[in-house]
Amino acid sequence: MSENIWGYQPTAGHTAGTDLVGYKVEATDGSIGKVDKHSDEVGSSYLVVDTGIWIFGRHVLLPAGTVRRVDPEEQKVYVDLDKEQIKSAPEFEKDSHLGNPEFFETTGEHYGRHRRI
């Protein structure tokens, strides 16, 4: 994963400004949902993933540094996390967590524990 968990890896193939909404998200062990929202903000890039029925319709925030590869032809985003790592993440609630630095810090710490350096 990226040194900066809130920035895309240079090898991920993501171009700033590309709309990822609707792309399927693939963990290392299978599909986890689709992108509901994303941000390309420098130093604070992320995906909000709607997990659908997989974990009962939760939304989770994935820092851009967890993205291994973006495939525009397949409309898929591949992340360097397994389903359990994502399932155990704090639930994202748009109304209370968007722009909340404490939530972003907690989420970054959660995924930081799973980083492969």
Side-chain angles (χ1 to χ4, degrees):
M1 284 186 228
S2 172
E3 183 69 27
N4 171 9
I5 200 161
W6 297 105
Y8 285 95
Q9 300 178 53
T11 57
H14 175 65
T15 304
T18 301
D19 186 6
L20 301 176
V21 172
Y23 275 43
K24 292 180 182 174
V25 181
E26 297 286 327
T28 58
D29 56 352
S31 181
I32 60 160
K34 64 180 176 95
V35 177
D36 191 49
K37 177 178 176 35
H38 71 98
S39 169
D40 286 337
E41 189 174 325
V42 176
S44 185
S45 298
Y46 61 83
L47 305 172
V48 175
V49 178
D50 178 352
T51 62
I53 60 170
W54 175 64
I55 51 175
F56 309 109
R58 285 183 49 195
H59 285 82
V60 293
L61 187 75
L62 298 181
T66 65
V67 174
R68 182 182 64 220
R69 179 170 64 95
V70 176
D71 186 330
E73 287 185 25
E74 291 184 351
Q75 292 196 336
K76 289 185 179 180
V77 176
Y78 296 85
V79 296
D80 275 335
L81 299 164
D82 63 36
K83 289 180 177 184
E84 187 56 39
Q85 292 166 330
I86 296 165
K87 185 177 181 179
S88 65
E91 183 170 3
F92 177 79
E93 295 176 11
K94 178 176 64 173
D95 295 335
S96 58
H97 293 144
L98 197 58
N100 179 332
E102 290 174 9
F103 180 78
F104 276 70
E105 184 176 334
T106 300
T107 301
E109 288 171 359
H110 170 78
Y111 291 117
R113 291 192 293 269
H114 302 291
R115 294 179 78 174
R116 291 183 224 146
I117 307 254

